[in-house]
Amino acid sequence: MTRNDLQYIEKYKNNIRYLSLYFGMPPIMFEDGIIKLHHPSRKRLFPPISAKKYEKRNKTKHGEEKIEVKGNKYEYKYINKRHHIVENIEIKKNKYDYYYKDSNIIEKLSVKYPNYKYQYYYKNFNTGEEIRKQGRGKALDPKLLYRELKEEKQNDPSFIFNLKININLKK
């Protein structure tokens, strides 16, 4: 992270909408608490935190990873042909869409602004487990989010939430 990134975080620390979009998540709290995404976690491309315009693409012989930021539009795509993985995140001014599919699961999340209506779908092809949720969330509030995460940890000791920030102090 650069000095500008840190200044950006400081500037928007009370407006978590900007920060949540950087991580590719919708800035809402769901009515029934935190929706846990079930797809496997992996490292992925992120734009510079204060970028208003950014584009990067990594191609390999088995697929591609691409991120594009243009003003209020954020688009992320990942395709891995070898492992049959497709992941898409699209954020526009009035809508958030997330899609993940591999050979074991499919997962979708859609949120519409400003009314915060959401739909979530998850299916595990191996176990047959299926989750469908829909409702109306509310604007993300940092204090409320922290309280929800703390309650989730108390209710489920196996729940893990990690946020790592690396700061390079060398110039």
Side-chain angles (χ1 to χ4, degrees), residues 159-170:
F159 176 73
I160 297 171
F161 179 81
N162 288 323
L163 177 62
K164 296 179 184 177
I165 299 176
N166 295 322
I167 301 172
N168 183 359
L169 298 175
K170 295 179 183 177

Side-chain angles (χ1 to χ4, degrees), residues 86-139:
V86 175
E87 183 176 19
N88 292 322
I89 301 171
E90 189 173 351
I91 304 169
K92 296 180 178 176
K93 184 178 180 182
N94 294 323
K95 192 172 182 184
Y96 170 92
D97 282 310
Y98 176 81
Y99 175 83
Y100 178 90
K101 184 177 182 186
D102 64 24
S103 55
N104 299 315
I105 69 169
I106 185 167
E107 187 167 41
K108 300 176 190 178
L109 174 61
S110 181
V111 179
K112 293 181 181 170
Y113 311 120
N115 61 14
Y116 296 110
K117 281 188 176 181
Y118 68 89
Q119 291 183 329
Y120 175 76
Y121 176 76
Y122 166 78
K123 180 163 186 165
N124 185 316
F125 302 124
N126 296 330
T127 64
E129 179 186 11
E130 191 170 12
I131 300 170
R132 291 180 190 267
K133 292 184 179 188
Q134 65 181 16
R136 189 177 300 243
K138 53 189 166 205

Side-chain angles (χ1 to χ4, degrees), residues 62-96:
H62 298 294
E64 177 180 11
E65 184 175 30
K66 175 185 153 190
I67 188 162
E68 188 175 334
V69 176
K70 288 183 180 174
N72 288 331
K73 186 178 177 186
Y74 173 104
E75 211 172 321
Y76 174 81
K77 293 184 183 204
Y78 175 77
I79 297 169
N80 185 318
K81 295 174 188 171
R82 183 179 192 186
H83 297 289
H84 309 288
I85 298 171
V86 175
E87 183 176 19
N88 292 322
I89 301 171
E90 189 173 351
I91 304 169
K92 296 180 178 176
K93 184 178 180 182
N94 294 323
K95 192 172 182 184
Y96 170 92

Side-chain angles (χ1 to χ4, degrees), residues 5 17 24-25 37 43 50 70 92 116 125 135 146 167:
D5 292 342
R17 174 176 165 66
M25 294 301 298
L37 296 177
K43 290 185 176 184
S50 59
K70 288 183 180 174
K92 296 180 178 176
Y116 296 110
F125 302 124
Y146 177 72
I167 301 172

